[in-house]
């Protein structure tokens, strides 16, 4: 299996990356491929709904010449796309939002003169998240949005793994969370062997 982690945190040594690192270590340990792309390192313009990507159903076709095109190709080449993000105002960070806005248009040829196919149909999507609130109150809106996004794009939503940060005076990076991130990796592998 090929996993692609879209890392939406601005901090390469932060809480979200702590979970991603442990998750990734377990994926590799189990013999699978994984790549992490730090979205804050990339130039990703916001979608302007120009619909130039809808003219040709055989290619992505975005008008912008930025780093998103390369990431789109990696999404197409992966089996599982993992959206890793801290929650900012109950949603993902700005570069991830810009990317998923662009992705829905270039991958889903629904918005032209005629309705076309979803180029990403059947791809699997999972979430790794951190939040200051309990996950059921801090990450729930983003998870619901991604569930709807996946249904719209004909993607297969798997699940979300989220951990709470209790604040600056508490230690987030502990053995329990590391073990939980590794267990989540095993869960994704074991529950998807038959369908990937």
């Amino acid at each position: 299996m090929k996993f692609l982690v879209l890392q939406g945190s601005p901090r390469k040594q932060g809480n979200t990356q702590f979970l991603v690192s442990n998750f990734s270590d377990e994926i590799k340990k189990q013999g699978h491929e994984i790549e992490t792309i730090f979205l804050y390192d990339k130039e990703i313009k916001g979608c302007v709904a120009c619909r130039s990507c809808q003219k040709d159903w055989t290619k992505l076709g975005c008008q912008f010449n930025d780093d998103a095109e390369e990431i789109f190709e990696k999404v197409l080449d992966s089996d599982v796309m993992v959206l890793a993000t801290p929650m900012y105002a109950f949603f993902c960070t700005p570069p991830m939002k810009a990317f998923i806005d662009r992705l829905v248009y270039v991958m889903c040829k629904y918005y032209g003169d005629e309705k076309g196919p979803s180029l990403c149909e059947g791809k699997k999507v999972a979430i790794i998240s951190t939040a200051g609130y309990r996950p059921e109150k801090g990450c729930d809106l983003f998870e619901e949005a991604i569930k709807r996004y996946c249904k719209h794009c004909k993607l297969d939503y798997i699940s979300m793994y989220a951990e709470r940060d209790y604040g600056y005076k508490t230690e987030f990076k502990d053995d329990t969370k590391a073990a939980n991130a590794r267990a989540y990796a095993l869960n994704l592998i074991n529950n998807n062997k038959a369908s990937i």
Side-chain angles (χ1 to χ4, degrees):
M1 273 186 272
K2 268 190 181 178
F3 290 80
L4 178 67
V5 179
L6 300 181
Q7 202 346 343
S9 175
R11 297 179 180 87
K12 292 185 179 177
Q13 304 299 323
N15 294 342
T16 304
Q17 185 55 30
F18 175 76
L19 301 182
V20 168
S21 293
N22 283 282
F23 173 87
S24 298
D25 287 348
E26 191 62 40
I27 295 290
K28 288 185 259 190
K29 181 180 172 185
Q30 298 301 320
H32 300 278
E33 293 180 51
I34 188 162
E35 179 180 359
T36 298
I37 297 173
F38 289 91
L39 297 179
Y40 270 92
D41 288 349
K42 303 296 183 180
E43 181 190 3
I44 303 170
K45 293 183 176 78
C47 184
V48 295
C50 67
R51 299 193 300 163
S52 63
C53 59
Q54 301 299 304
K55 295 173 184 170
D56 185 343
W57 295 352
T58 65
K59 63 182 182 178
L60 298 170
C62 185
Q63 68 156 325
F64 291 127
N65 183 23
D66 61 9
D67 295 325
E69 189 84 7
E70 175 190 353
I71 306 171
F72 296 149
E73 295 291 348
K74 288 178 183 288
V75 169
L76 284 174
D77 192 44
S78 68
D79 298 304
V80 182
M81 178 173 64
V82 180
L83 304 175
T85 183
M87 290 295 110
Y88 284 13
F90 303 97
F91 214 72
C92 65
T93 56
M96 181 170 287
K97 181 63 168 72
F99 182 76
I100 60 178
D101 284 352
R102 293 267 298 280
L103 185 68
V104 73
Y105 273 95
V106 299
M107 292 290 188
C108 299
K109 306 302 184 181
Y110 303 164
Y111 308 105
D113 295 332
E114 297 180 38
K115 185 174 179 179
S118 167
L119 302 182
C120 55
E121 184 172 355
K123 297 280 178 193
K124 296 183 180 299
V125 177
I127 300 169
I128 294 176
S129 186
T130 55
Y133 290 106
R134 297 190 317 272
E136 62 271 22
K137 295 291 185 183
C139 307
D140 57 321
L141 298 178
F142 180 63
E143 183 182 31
E144 182 59 33
I146 294 303
K147 284 179 180 177
R148 293 185 189 188
Y149 183 97
C150 288
K151 183 176 181 182
H152 177 75
C153 298
K154 300 180 183 175
L155 293 158
D156 181 9
Y157 177 72
I158 304 170
S159 62
M160 177 177 70
Y161 161 53
E163 292 279 4
R164 183 179 184 183
D165 181 1
Y166 286 88
Y168 297 113
K169 294 183 180 179
T170 61
E171 181 57 46
F172 180 88
K173 301 173 186 177
D174 59 28
D175 292 342
T176 300
K177 291 183 186 72
N180 290 345
R182 290 173 181 274
Y184 185 61
L186 283 172
N187 181 269
L188 291 191
I189 292 166
N190 292 331
N191 288 331
N192 289 287
K193 278 182 180 171
S195 56
I196 293 180

